[in-house]
């Protein structure tokens, strides 16, 4: 488990670089945190560090957004908040995404736990004092 403290938004690019480096063999990342904790904001920073030039936005209504990096790598960004069941995730073909070998960044992943691979990275974001955030990254052994 690795912890980072985000004092201000300008800290995110450097923390994103560190998280990418320590998690580079993991392609499915689950982001955990309360509503408004900064999951999408951190995913934006990670995508930028990976070379995504397009706008990165929460896929709340579409469930999944697809981004392409400057090196033609595909990244999938999921927001599972609106899913009512695992079957809804299966209906959108989530297993194909999860096992594609591409990065999959998943918000509200607890709604699809039975479908997740064993080797996920878990990124927990907690709001602490004065708008600061603690980011904890847990990797499987």
């Amino acid at each position: 488990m690795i912890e980072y403290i985000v004092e201000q938004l300008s800290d995110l690019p450097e923390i994103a670089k560190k998280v990418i480096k320590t998690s580079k063999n993991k392609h499915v990342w689950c982001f955990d945190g309360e509503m408004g904790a900064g999951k999408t904001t951190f995913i934006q920073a990670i995508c930028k560090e990976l070379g995504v030039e397009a706008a990165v936005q929460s896929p709340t209504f579409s469930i999944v957004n697809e981004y392409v990096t400057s090196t033609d790598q595909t990244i999938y960004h999921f927001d599972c908040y609106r899913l009512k069941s695992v079957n809804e995730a299966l209906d959108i073909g989530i297993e194909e995404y999860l096992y594609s070998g591409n990065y999959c960044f998943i918000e509200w992943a607890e709604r699809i736990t039975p479908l997740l691979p064993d080797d996920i990275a878990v990124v927990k974001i907690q709001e602490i004092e004065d708008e600061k955030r603690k980011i904890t990254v847990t990797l499987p052994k």
Side-chain angles (χ1 to χ4, degrees), residues 22-73:
T22 59
S23 306
K24 66 179 171 181
N25 293 330
K26 305 300 171 217
H27 293 290
V28 178
W29 298 14
C30 298
F31 291 78
D32 182 28
E34 296 293 323
M35 185 86 64
K39 297 179 294 294
T40 300
T41 302
F42 192 45
I43 290 170
Q44 289 169 337
I46 292 167
C47 286
K48 186 171 183 180
E49 290 302 317
L50 290 171
V52 173
E53 295 170 0
V56 173
Q57 300 175 347
S58 177
T60 301
F61 296 103
S62 61
I63 309 296
V64 62
N65 286 346
E66 180 178 321
Y67 313 116
V68 179
T69 69
S70 56
T71 59
D72 287 328
Q73 180 181 20

Side-chain angles (χ1 to χ4, degrees), residues 1-4 22 122-124 126 134-141:
M1 181 169 56
I2 306 163
E3 289 186 354
Y4 304 95
T22 59
V122 177
V123 180
K124 183 172 182 152
Q126 296 172 282
K134 178 169 75 170
I135 297 176
T136 307
V137 180
T138 306
L139 301 170
K141 295 183 178 185

Side-chain angles (χ1 to χ4, degrees), residues 31-141:
F31 291 78
D32 182 28
E34 296 293 323
M35 185 86 64
K39 297 179 294 294
T40 300
T41 302
F42 192 45
I43 290 170
Q44 289 169 337
I46 292 167
C47 286
K48 186 171 183 180
E49 290 302 317
L50 290 171
V52 173
E53 295 170 0
V56 173
Q57 300 175 347
S58 177
T60 301
F61 296 103
S62 61
I63 309 296
V64 62
N65 286 346
E66 180 178 321
Y67 313 116
V68 179
T69 69
S70 56
T71 59
D72 287 328
Q73 180 181 20
T74 301
I75 297 173
Y76 300 111
H77 177 193
F78 296 86
D79 184 333
C80 296
Y81 185 76
R82 291 183 42 237
L83 294 178
K84 293 178 180 52
S85 70
V86 170
N87 285 337
E88 285 187 25
L90 291 170
D91 289 345
I92 66 165
I94 199 161
E95 290 178 310
E96 290 179 40
Y97 294 105
L98 296 176
Y99 295 95
S100 68
N102 294 311
Y103 278 112
C104 293
F105 301 141
I106 308 170
E107 299 182 50
W108 303 101
E110 64 274 11
R111 296 179 185 250
I112 60 164
T113 299
L115 303 177
L116 296 172
D118 293 331
D119 62 342
I120 61 172
V122 177
V123 180
K124 183 172 182 152
I125 303 175
Q126 296 172 282
E127 186 174 1
I128 53 178
E129 64 189 272
D130 302 326
E131 301 295 317
K132 295 178 187 175
R133 302 290 193 266
K134 178 169 75 170
I135 297 176
T136 307
V137 180
T138 306
L139 301 170
K141 295 183 178 185

